[in-house]
Amino acid sequence: MKKRVLLIEDNEQNRYMMSFLLTRKGYEVVEAGDGPAGIELARRIRPALILLDIQLPGMDGYTVAGELKAIPETASIPIVAITSYAMTGDRERGIAAGCDGYMEKPIDPETFAAEIGRYLPGAGGDQGA
Ligand code: MN
């Protein structure tokens, strides 16, 4: 069965690119364009992993991570924070908000899917593709 990844990202181009790279590696990708939609989807579909953009309009990624970790059904889903610029303290803030990992944009298309695979429970890498 394909592993499902929820991608919460407001930038359509980034969403397209990450979705493309993950789908190509055999993941099923579900997309949300903002925090509230992402939280709602996470509760409903219970993804194996959540990729969370930090710079989101309205509710920022830190707040989204905090909410996801406070909801029993989504609390154990690993979250990888993605930030578009190297802001000092972003990593620490992300971890404090409950994120399990951290990546910086621009992402590297060559290594992105493999890096994501490391955060999946019980996975030693990608989907064997
Ligand atoms: Mn953004």
Side-chain angles (χ1 to χ4, degrees), residues 39 42-44 46-50 64-80 95 97-100 121:
I39 292 167
R43 302 182 80 137
R44 198 141 42 90
R46 311 282 183 89
L49 179 78
I50 297 170
V64 175
E67 295 219 359
L68 286 167
K69 291 300 178 185
I71 299 168
E73 308 101 281
T74 58
S76 62
I77 303 171
I79 300 173
V80 179
I95 301 297
C99 294
D100 303 274

Side-chain angles (χ1 to χ4, degrees), residues 9-11 14 53-57 84 105:
E9 158 73 79
D10 63 308
N11 181 287
N14 289 336
D53 179 29
I54 291 302
Q55 286 82 32
L56 289 168
S84 56
K105 286 192 268 191

Side-chain angles (χ1 to χ4, degrees), residues 3-54:
K3 287 208 167 133
R4 196 178 270 171
V5 174
L6 172 61
L7 175 56
I8 307 174
E9 158 73 79
D10 63 308
N11 181 287
E12 205 181 326
Q13 266 182 299
N14 289 336
R15 221 163 51 219
Y16 179 83
M17 159 113 117
M18 290 191 269
S19 181
F20 170 78
L21 293 168
L22 291 170
T23 303
R24 196 177 61 170
K25 282 286 182 184
Y27 295 102
E28 180 188 342
V29 181
V30 179
E31 302 177 17
D34 61 42
I39 292 167
E40 176 54 34
L41 266 174
R43 302 182 80 137
R44 198 141 42 90
I45 68 168
R46 311 282 183 89
L49 179 78
I50 297 170
L51 293 183
L52 176 62
D53 179 29
I54 291 302

